[in-house]
Amino acid sequence: MAHVPKLDMPLEEIRSELDRLRGPLRIAVQRAKNPFNVGAIIRVAHSFMVREIILIGDAPYYRRASMGMEKYEHLRSVPDEQAFLDLAAEQGQRLVVLERDRATGNLWDGDMPLDCTLVFGNEDTGVCDTICDAAEQ
């Protein structure tokens, strides 16, 4: 495995540089039953340079699964679904829910806006009805 030297920049400067590259996409996750999965989502979201990652609920996530990427990302925690919907309305976020049980189309054919918030549910119950009902897609 190749050794990558440590960046010789303060964390806030690294974040600032990454912010210049970020797209408008946000990710929201109803906390998963398996804390490893949320950490993995944070790691993958970092690869896509999302604007923000919103964690809904108060279940912990496994930081090792994020491989340290949480320190470079804009993570926001909200206590529950209503707090998430209030935040989304306040910021004018367009919600796109990825939920198999209430699907009205598929990911490949959807007309997904670039500036949306993709909402993912947990492994057992998916995305709650309250958020699904408020979603644009």
Side-chain angles (χ1 to χ4, degrees):
M1 185 157 114
H3 174 71
V4 178
K6 185 177 178 180
L7 293 173
D8 192 25
M9 296 166 64
L11 183 57
E12 286 307 314
E13 189 175 341
I14 294 170
R15 262 200 210 126
S16 177
E17 286 298 313
L18 290 174
D19 284 349
R20 294 184 318 108
L21 304 172
R22 294 185 194 283
L25 179 67
R26 289 179 168 89
I27 300 290
V29 182
Q30 282 192 282
R31 299 285 179 114
K33 297 292 181 188
N34 181 339
F36 181 88
N37 291 344
V38 176
I41 289 170
I42 292 169
R43 183 179 71 238
V44 171
H46 173 74
S47 299
F48 284 93
M49 299 303 296
V50 300
R51 174 81 29 218
E52 181 178 43
I53 302 165
I54 304 163
L55 303 176
I56 305 167
D58 58 2
Y61 70 90
Y62 188 47
R63 289 185 186 270
R64 283 194 72 183
S66 68
M67 301 295 290
M69 295 304 104
E70 77 279 350
K71 65 185 169 197
Y72 302 116
E73 292 308 308
H74 298 286
L75 292 178
R76 182 189 304 245
S77 291
V78 293
D80 55 33
E81 292 81 8
Q82 190 56 55
F84 168 68
L85 291 174
D86 292 344
L87 173 69
E90 176 184 307
Q91 294 183 342
Q93 295 177 25
R94 300 165 73 183
L95 303 181
V96 175
V97 171
L98 297 171
E99 173 56 58
R100 69 165 192 235
D101 293 336
R102 292 186 54 171
T104 58
N106 68 54
L107 182 61
W108 311 115
D109 296 329
D111 186 22
M112 188 168 49
L114 293 176
D115 63 343
C116 71
T117 299
L118 288 180
V119 184
F120 298 91
N122 73 43
E123 302 92 329
D124 292 335
T125 58
V127 178
C128 72
D129 289 341
T130 308
I131 294 176
C132 285
D133 290 343
E136 184 175 303
Q137 293 184 48

